[in-house]
């Protein structure tokens, strides 16, 4: 175990005075396979914005501004380093209940030319709700021309397990994770249902012709992979697509996603039901994929980031998993698609972390899951 110095300081634009506190902390370093502890780095954490109601996702705009979704159904902007007190207008009506509300916000890869942003959210009523995804033009102050490009099916009467994370592939198509709806877990293996799936569509909602189940009468053409529970992070990396998902009691998973593959939920799982009973006696089965990693007890994985920046060269090529229950970020060292080490970071903050993002400036950004949530920036420690 190595010591780590941490400086915690409010960001520019806040009322609180700028303060630096150097703390001597111990950091848990886990080794798997490699046999050598991952290198511990010194970093600073500063507050970028605060006073956000359960911030869920963060997206970076050209020029340095940031869009933040609040689960309560608001879209906010951090402009010139300050949180604008007025929410963005033109957003869709959403169903806000328990886990339902606004989810992910994604900026089009060609945003400079088309001004498009993508928003995932809960849609409907208590008795009939679903995951929805839409896109709109953003002019810097408001959304306009909002159009729905995906509607989850079937309807459900639970305000839980929506999934909602999104990622663009290099070919311009959009991946969307759809949770199993909690009480509808058997539908994760039903190819006629969109619950418990990874979905792939065009940016306008069209169907890519090379989706794995195109042309089959027994399957929905949007499906990219299936057998998932409640996915809360997805990233496209040079090594492939990775997502993580909540298990029940134990069995949170990190998976490498391939088109057409079955990831087994609920037929196989490393977790048990919340009642303590078995969901399945099997942890593996022919034709069902094994996770890259699984966590028991649960860490409650939330956001997921792939780091390829320059601020922390030692972290380049790694995945970062925000967690709610563990109140940490897990750094996963990947080599050739295999996890060879993990490091538990940022537990000193004592915060439930909903999202982690790698910024275009090379820094990491964290969202705290709270009715008074914050956006935090992680930078290399300044020289003493």
């Amino acid at each position: 175990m190595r010591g780590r110095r941490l400086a915690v300081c409010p960001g520019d634009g806040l009322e609180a005075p700028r303060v630096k506190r150097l703390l001597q902390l111990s950091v848990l370093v886990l080794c798997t396979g490699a046999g050598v502890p991952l290198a511990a780095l010194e970093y600073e954490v500063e507050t970028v914005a605060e006073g956000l109601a359960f911030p869920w996702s963060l997206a970076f705009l050209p020029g340095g501004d940031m869009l933040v979704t609040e689960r309560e159904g608001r879209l906010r902007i951090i402009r010139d380093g300050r949180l604008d007190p007025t929410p963005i207008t033109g957003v869709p009506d959403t169903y806000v209940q328990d886990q339902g509300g606004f989810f992910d916000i994604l900026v089009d890869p060609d945003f400079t030319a088309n001004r498009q942003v993508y928003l995932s959210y809960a849609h409907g009523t208590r008795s009939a709700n679903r995951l929805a995804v839409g896109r709109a033009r953003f002019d810097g102050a408001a959304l306009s021309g909002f159009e729905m490009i995906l509607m989850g099916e079937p309807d459900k009467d639970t305000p839980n397990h929506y999934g909602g994370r999104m990622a663009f592939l290099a070919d311009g198509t959009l991946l969307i994770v759809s949770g199993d709806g909690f009480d509808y877990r058997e539908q994760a293996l039903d190819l006629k249902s969109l619950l418990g799936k990874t979905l792939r569509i065009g940016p306008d909602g069209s169907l890519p012709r090379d989706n794995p189940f195109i042309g089959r009468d027994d399957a929905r053409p949007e499906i990219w992979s299936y057998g998932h529970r409640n996915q809360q992070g997805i990233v496209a990396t040079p090594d492939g697509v990775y997502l993580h998902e909540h298990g029940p009691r134990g069995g949170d998973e990190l998976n490498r996603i391939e088109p057409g593959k079955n990831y087994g939920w609920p037929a196989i799982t490393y977790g048990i039901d919340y009642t303590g009973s078995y969901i399945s006696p099997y942890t593996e089965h022919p034709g069902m994929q094994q996770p890259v990693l699984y966590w028991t007890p649960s860490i409650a994985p939330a956001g997921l980031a792939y780091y390829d920046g320059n601020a922390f060269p030692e972290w380049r090529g790694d995945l970062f998993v925000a967690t709610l229950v563990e109140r940490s970020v897990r750094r996963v060292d990947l080599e050739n698609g295999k996890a060879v080490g993990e490091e538990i970071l940022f537990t000193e903050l004592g915060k439930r972390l909903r999202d982690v993002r790698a910024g275009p400036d090379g820094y990491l950004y964290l969202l705290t899951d709270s009715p008074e949530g914050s956006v935090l920036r992680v930078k290399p420690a300044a020289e003493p």
Side-chain angles (χ1 to χ4, degrees), residues 167-170 175 198 224 233-244 254-259 263 292 304-307 317-319 334-338:
F168 274 105
L169 295 178
L175 293 181
T198 306
W224 182 250
I234 185 168
V235 290
T237 79
D239 182 52
V241 175
Y242 290 86
L243 67 74
H244 60 56
L254 174 69
N255 285 296
R256 188 176 187 275
I257 301 303
E258 297 181 47
Y263 290 81
V292 174
L304 180 64
Y306 172 75
Y307 186 80
D318 293 346
L319 296 178
L334 287 177
E335 292 185 10
N336 301 316
K338 295 184 178 180

Side-chain angles (χ1 to χ4, degrees), residues 47-231:
T47 300
V48 177
E50 53 191 0
L52 292 151
F54 294 104
W56 214 91
S57 179
L58 178 71
F60 302 94
L61 294 166
D65 292 346
M66 291 172 266
L67 292 171
V68 185
T69 56
E70 293 178 294
R71 195 182 65 202
E72 309 302 292
R74 289 182 295 271
L75 179 61
R76 310 292 296 278
I77 187 167
I78 299 170
R79 200 190 311 272
D80 299 325
R82 295 173 179 267
L83 178 65
D84 191 320
T86 304
I88 300 298
T89 59
V91 300
D93 291 336
T94 190
Y95 171 60
V96 179
Q97 180 70 40
D98 293 354
Q99 295 175 4
F102 276 3
F103 305 128
D104 217 353
I105 184 75
L106 205 59
V107 173
D108 193 283
D110 199 22
F111 177 83
T112 301
N114 63 28
R115 312 294 298 184
Q116 294 283 345
V117 297
Y118 299 77
L119 176 68
S120 60
Y121 58 103
H123 180 273
T125 65
R126 178 80 191 200
S127 61
N129 61 83
R130 65 208 70 87
L131 172 68
V133 176
R135 68 174 184 173
R137 287 180 58 83
F138 179 60
D139 64 7
L143 300 184
S144 63
F146 193 91
E147 60 175 331
M148 192 177 295
I149 60 172
L150 177 80
M151 179 74 79
E153 295 180 18
D155 287 342
K156 57 189 185 65
D157 59 3
T158 56
N160 309 102
H161 289 200
Y162 292 93
R165 295 288 185 188
M166 304 180 289
F168 274 105
L169 295 178
D171 63 4
T173 58
L174 182 63
L175 293 181
I176 303 159
V177 297
S178 173
D180 70 351
F182 191 73
D183 286 342
Y184 299 81
R185 64 192 186 197
E186 290 77 12
Q187 294 199 25
L189 294 176
D190 182 353
L191 291 175
K192 290 188 176 181
S193 168
L194 297 186
L195 296 176
K197 310 296 191 298
T198 306
L199 311 174
R200 178 175 177 243
I201 60 174
D204 59 354
S206 60
L207 292 172
R209 297 179 64 181
D210 59 345
N211 269 3
F213 298 105
I214 287 282
R216 283 181 48 169
D217 293 336
D218 63 340
R220 292 292 300 261
E222 303 93 336
I223 295 173
W224 182 250
S225 67
Y226 63 109
H228 301 290
R229 186 173 183 267
N230 186 25
Q231 317 94 300

